Amino acid sequence: LIDIGQSYVSVQFATETQLFDKTGRLVFRMTSQNDIPPSAYFAKNKMEFVVANTDKSIQLLNDKGIVIKPFQVNGTIKQIAVTTQAKKPILGVLTSNMYYTIDLEKRKTLSKVNMDSTYSLVNTGVDLIPISARNSNLTMVKNGKTTQFSTKSNVKLLGSYLLNKELTIILSRGKE
């Protein structure tokens, strides 16, 4: 069960997501990939949705479920996330070998960056940051700039949060 804004709730199944309004009425169904929940955003003062409808494509949908625009990607989609930058909704799509940023208002791909399958997409609410923890290094890509930090060996990325507007990354090393 995923809450999308104050107006909608989505229920995700293996191959479909159902969107309900706040009265419990089924608004529409959309084909979706398992484990990749849809996202909602406002573009030009209208609520729209983005869904990974196959393992290699996403769709932008209006509030009636009509496809606004499809996007094809290289690699298998691992994560999608929406954030707002400069009052514009931005979509991040992380695949098994690429990272895409898409301007949801202009419906244009802003960037494509080669990335391996070890990356995870972190949404800070302002920025979308692909992060990888491997080979005793933590690698972050923000605004096209790559930053590396040394870590202990066998470190895994567990999650992240913002603390006083600073990104805090949670790492784990086995049982430590």
Side-chain angles (χ1 to χ4, degrees), residues 152-172:
K152 293 183 178 182
S153 61
N154 300 323
V155 168
K156 292 181 184 176
L157 175 67
L158 291 182
S160 66
Y161 61 93
L162 286 180
L163 179 65
N164 298 326
K165 297 184 181 181
E166 294 292 327
L167 177 63
T168 303
I169 299 168
I170 303 167
L171 303 172
S172 171

Side-chain angles (χ1 to χ4, degrees), residues 4 16 24 40 44 69 124 132 135 150 175:
I4 298 183
E16 139 177 310
K44 300 174 185 169
K69 182 166 184 174
T124 68
S132 175
N135 299 334
S150 294
K175 296 182 180 181

